[in-house]
Structure formats: structure tokens, C-alpha cells
Amino acid sequence: MAIRGDFLTTQEVSDLLGVEARQVRILAEAGSITRIARGIFDRTSVERYRAERGSGRTRTWAEHTAWGAIAMLSGAAPLGLGDVQTYRLRATLREITDPTELTIRLRDRATVTTWSGHRSVIERVRNELVIPGRQRLGLVEDDAIVDGYIHADRIADLVRRYKLGEDSTGSITLRYTYMDIDFIKYLAALNRTLAAVDAATSLDPRERGVGEQVLVRRLELFRENARQ
């Protein structure tokens, strides 16, 4: 019988993610999902893990490759990829039609963490992040929520200065990466691609649907341009 509310049993997590119970324990020990008590897990952390990683065997790209793919779909030149890598990545992108496959491949572009903090620091935290922006997707911004990218070398300092506490249900999402943050800022300002990538793994069905629709169109445009 399912546990009500915000918690899942080991078996429920196993069924949801399509993994064995042993793997559920490994995920908890690695901090990928949150264990509340023995055999009991936080539902939100499991759902977020599933949204970011899926439950299949799709191969993910390394961080720099993932950002290269986002750049290509945005119509920009990738940063730090050699000619051979660029050629192979273009060929792979031309074969992808499913936005879910794309988002799984892109999952290692950043490590996603969620935090809580006093409401007075929300705007100050927002000002220190690269935020692609929901408005471009026709979604309404929530002033009480912040979600953006930060360089991995800066996250510890930001958390300390604003006294943030790690919280799987927190309103502050920090996506930390080792990619050049100025390049990410450039991609975020260029068009809707990066915003759509983030939205496509949202736990909100409507937001996820909007993100997936934009990605389908970006993939179509990429294939069209490749044929020219």
C-alpha cells in the first residue's frame, strides 16, 4: 500500500525509477534522492531525479558536450569542442526527435540542488544567477521562486552568505556547472532553447509540456538547417 502524502517506500521508488531496491539505497547514499527514514524517501526528490534522469538506458553526454549540444540547438558555436566531437555531436542531434531523450542526454550539463532561505534573500540570490527566463516560454514568473545557473566554484560562498539550507522542497534551485558562466549567460539571452531545456524537466506538467514543445521545434529546425 502506498504511503500517503510526500513520502515513498523503497518499493515505490524502485517501481517509479525502474531500478532494483539495492540501487535505490545507492542513490540515497549518494544524495541523489533524499531518505527520510529507513525505507522511506522524500517524494519530491525522487520525482525530480526521475524528471532529470529518466528511467531508461539513454546515454548522457559529458558536461562540455551537453553545453555544446545546447549551443548548436541555439544556433551558436559550441565552446571547447574539437572538430571530431562537433561532427559527431551534430550527427547525433540530427537523429534525436524525442525531447525526453534530449533532456536525459543533457542532464549532466549541471548539478541541480534545491535550497531554502529567508524570503528577504530571494531577490539577492536571483541577481547572482544566470536565469534563462520563463517569460520567453509564455510562463508566468513566481517572485517567491528562483531557479538559475551558477559556476561550481561560487556555490559554497553564495550558500554561506545567504545562509541557505539544502531542502528538497525549497524554493531556490541552484544549477551549478563548470562551464564558462559567461557562455551560459550568452546562450540564455540568445533564444528560448536553454529555458526550454530547464522547463522540459519541470515537475509541473504544463511547464514540462511547454518546454518539450519548444525543444521539438528546435530539433526540427536543426535537422532542416543540416539538410541545407
Side-chain angles (χ1 to χ4, degrees), residues 67 70 109-111 128-132 147-151 154 173-177 181 184 188 194 197-198:
W67 283 111
I70 293 171
R109 69 191 181 281
T111 299
E128 298 199 32
L129 305 180
V130 175
I131 300 177
D147 182 346
Y149 291 88
I150 185 172
H151 194 277
R154 293 187 53 232
T173 299
L174 303 180
R175 302 173 184 264
Y176 67 87
T177 175
I181 204 68
I184 297 176
L194 182 54
V197 170
D198 292 346

Side-chain angles (χ1 to χ4, degrees), residues 151-219:
H151 194 277
D153 291 343
R154 293 187 53 232
I155 188 171
D157 176 64
L158 184 142
V159 167
R160 177 187 58 78
R161 284 189 288 112
Y162 295 118
K163 297 181 173 58
L164 306 182
E166 197 155 11
D167 180 353
S168 64
T169 61
S171 61
I172 300 172
T173 299
L174 303 180
R175 302 173 184 264
Y176 67 87
T177 175
Y178 288 94
M179 175 54 68
D180 185 325
I181 204 68
D182 287 333
F183 184 64
I184 297 176
K185 187 180 298 184
Y186 164 70
L187 294 178
L190 189 59
N191 53 43
R192 302 189 298 167
T193 304
L194 182 54
V197 170
D198 292 346
T201 56
S202 171
L203 299 183
D204 179 87
R206 178 177 177 274
E207 185 173 341
R208 184 167 62 248
V210 170
E212 288 177 347
Q213 288 177 6
V214 173
L215 291 182
V216 167
R217 183 53 182 156
R218 297 307 303 180
L219 288 166

Side-chain angles (χ1 to χ4, degrees), residues 82-89:
D83 292 341
V84 174
Q85 282 181 300
T86 299
Y87 174 82
R88 290 176 176 171
L89 184 55

Side-chain angles (χ1 to χ4, degrees), residues 26-69:
I26 291 173
L27 291 173
E29 289 168 3
S32 299
I33 60 176
T34 302
R35 179 163 45 202
I36 303 300
R38 183 180 177 85
I40 305 298
F41 302 86
D42 173 71
R43 179 187 296 275
T44 301
S45 71
V46 174
E47 290 179 344
R48 181 173 289 111
Y49 179 90
R50 186 188 185 203
E52 288 284 342
R53 293 161 172 78
S55 56
R57 297 180 179 275
T58 301
R59 181 181 178 183
T60 61
W61 286 316
E63 182 180 68
H64 68 287
T65 304
W67 283 111

